[in-house]
Amino acid sequence: MRESSQGVTVVALLADPDAPTDVARRIARMLPDRLAEKAGQGRRFDVKVVSEPFTSGTEDPHTLMRRIMERASAENWDIVVALTDLPLHSHGRRILVDLSHEHGLALLSLPSLGGLRLQTRARRAVEEAVLGLAGPQATGAEGLPRSQPLPGPFAGRLAPVHRGQVGDEEAADLRYIVSGPRGYLRVLVGMVRANRPWRLVSGLSKALAAALATGAIATLDSTTWSLSGALSAPRLVIAMVGSVGLMIGWLIVDGELWHRSTEGSPEARQRARLYNTSTVLTVGIGALVCYVGLMVINLVWALFILNDRVFASTTGTPLHATEYLTLSWFVASVATVAGALGSGLESDEAIRAATYSTREEQRRHMLQGDHGDQLVT
């Protein structure tokens, strides 16, 4: 690591666009003061955020570290912490962070931090990385840095995070990985959060309009009244699962969201499984949110428009709370099917905005269009 000639350690947070850049900018607001407080000895830190698609076209940690190293060599940076929303793998292990003390570099995979308290965990991880790279390192017999396991988000008794082996050919000299079923679940939840499922809901405006129109009409139909009253709870559950499943399947197929790996390696297949599982969960969350929203809106509409005497004369059943809920539940299933068909009217960008494959394509275009220009704040 280079030493700053002016007594100020320059820290660059190199972040992929979208979520990693948002995380980096929030971290940068308080990072200089927190680093100065923890480092002591009057040390000062200057933190910059650089947003660019440094992971475009590759997910290989060694290649990414080389890219970061080349990028840092062209700038007056003492320490570089790169943040990405890609799930990184090496030798079948899911990587949390790679560090190179010699070059003052760190590569942090945000999904490995999980989906809960991401901002706090990311801030602590960046702090630990910077302090570890800025501080003195003891060396072992082979001349490689020998560091005690870092506290906080890197390692702990309850966290599925452990020290990992680093190959001789790799640029990193220290690695932390997440392992086991809990580690897989942690990465998966982190990927779903990085996909930001709520963007899918806002992007399906035409589909939701079709679903709301269908629900409004179905609520007024006497046949729908009779059917909802005749269906048992298990059948209503089956109708709900079927309609939500249909919407999930239609969105994935119509939006071409299924990731097919062009490589035959075990790591490529593992990435494909992770991508596809996170896509199904992301789309599923979006579809469930739409379903619940439709059910609530249909209930309010039914409370406003239905007449007790007309309903009772048609179905032979008084209009009580149970009938309102059952009708709204059944109508939500019908409307969700209409919404799934209506999703075909959406643009590909609106449907595919919450998937890794689309973000990768966007980053490739951004990298080609910018011709090396960076967004620095």
Side-chain angles (χ1 to χ4, degrees):
M1 186 193 75
R2 301 189 301 268
E3 293 293 339
S4 175
S5 59
Q6 298 180 353
V8 178
T9 302
V10 179
V11 179
L13 300 183
L14 180 64
D16 266 331
D18 301 319
T21 296
D22 294 339
V23 171
R25 285 173 176 162
R26 293 192 187 101
I27 292 174
R29 294 169 188 168
M30 60 181 68
L31 188 60
D33 293 337
R34 293 184 63 89
L35 290 175
E37 179 182 353
K38 290 187 175 183
Q41 301 177 349
R43 297 194 64 171
R44 294 182 297 159
F45 295 85
D46 180 20
V47 178
K48 304 176 181 295
V49 177
V50 181
S51 178
E52 61 183 55
F54 71 93
T55 61
S56 178
T58 184
E59 299 176 17
D60 176 54
H62 176 62
T63 303
L64 293 177
M65 288 292 282
R66 289 295 179 187
R67 283 186 180 180
I68 300 167
M69 193 180 306
E70 293 172 1
R71 183 73 177 86
S73 64
E75 303 287 346
N76 188 28
W77 299 336
D78 300 314
I79 295 175
V80 181
V81 180
L83 292 84
T84 179
D85 54 6
L86 289 179
L88 302 179
H89 298 80
S90 180
H91 306 292
R93 303 285 186 174
R94 291 173 286 275
I95 297 175
L96 170 60
V97 64
D98 271 356
L99 299 105
S100 172
H101 294 86
E102 178 183 359
H103 301 96
L105 308 177
L107 173 61
L108 178 64
S109 176
L110 294 177
S112 295
L113 293 172
L116 302 176
R117 302 172 58 242
L118 175 63
Q119 192 65 44
T120 300
R121 287 179 175 179
R123 174 179 55 78
R124 292 177 179 173
V126 171
E127 289 176 5
E128 296 295 338
V130 172
L131 293 173
L133 295 173
Q137 292 291 326
T139 56
E142 299 179 359
L144 295 176
R146 182 180 60 207
S147 175
Q148 295 297 323
L150 296 171
F154 280 177
R157 292 181 299 174
L158 300 179
V161 180
H162 313 282
R163 290 276 294 272
Q165 294 183 348
V166 183
D168 295 335
E169 74 284 357
E170 298 191 62
D173 51 46
L174 182 61
R175 169 173 292 163
Y176 283 86
I177 61 173
V178 291
S179 60
R182 288 179 58 213
Y184 177 85
L185 181 62
R186 176 168 165 153
V187 172
L188 185 59
V189 173
M191 292 177 66
V192 172
R193 190 188 192 284
N195 281 341
R196 294 184 280 192
W198 54 89
R199 298 195 306 181
L200 182 65
V201 177
S202 62
L204 291 174
S205 56
K206 295 178 182 178
L208 289 174
L212 288 171
T214 302
I217 296 173
T219 303
L220 301 176
D221 185 56
S222 59
T223 304
T224 305
W225 302 348
S226 301
L227 284 174
S228 64
L231 292 176
S232 61
R235 290 194 175 188
L236 287 170
V237 171
I238 293 173
M240 177 184 69
V241 173
S243 62
V244 172
L246 176 63
M247 175 170 255
I248 294 172
W250 180 259
L251 287 173
I252 291 176
V253 172
D254 185 61
E256 299 179 354
L257 306 184
W258 199 255
H259 179 78
R260 293 179 176 84
S261 175
T262 57
E263 305 175 21
S265 65
E267 288 188 7
R269 291 194 296 269
Q270 186 179 27
R271 284 197 300 269
R273 286 194 296 269
L274 267 175
Y275 279 5
N276 290 328
T277 304
S278 67
T279 296
V280 171
L281 290 176
T282 300
V283 176
I285 292 172
L288 282 174
V289 170
C290 289
Y291 187 94
V292 172
L294 288 171
M295 188 172 177
V296 171
I297 293 173
N298 290 330
L299 178 59
V300 173
W301 173 244
L303 289 170
F304 175 75
I305 203 69
L306 292 185
N307 182 275
D308 186 15
R309 287 179 295 177
V310 174
F311 186 92
S313 64
T314 302
T315 64
T317 304
L319 188 57
H320 298 311
T322 302
E323 282 68 37
Y324 277 115
L325 290 174
T326 303
L327 177 62
S328 301
W329 191 359
F330 178 63
V331 168
S333 298
V334 176
T336 299
V337 174
L341 299 177
S343 66
L345 302 174
E346 303 289 348
S347 66
D348 287 343
E349 291 183 1
I351 296 177
R352 299 172 63 198
T355 60
Y356 276 86
S357 59
T358 299
R359 293 204 297 278
E360 170 62 16
E361 292 177 7
Q362 292 172 343
R363 289 170 187 177
R364 285 175 185 260
H365 294 319
M366 185 183 303
L367 191 64
Q368 294 171 359
D370 289 348
H371 299 288
D373 293 340
Q374 291 82 34
L375 173 62
V376 184
T377 60

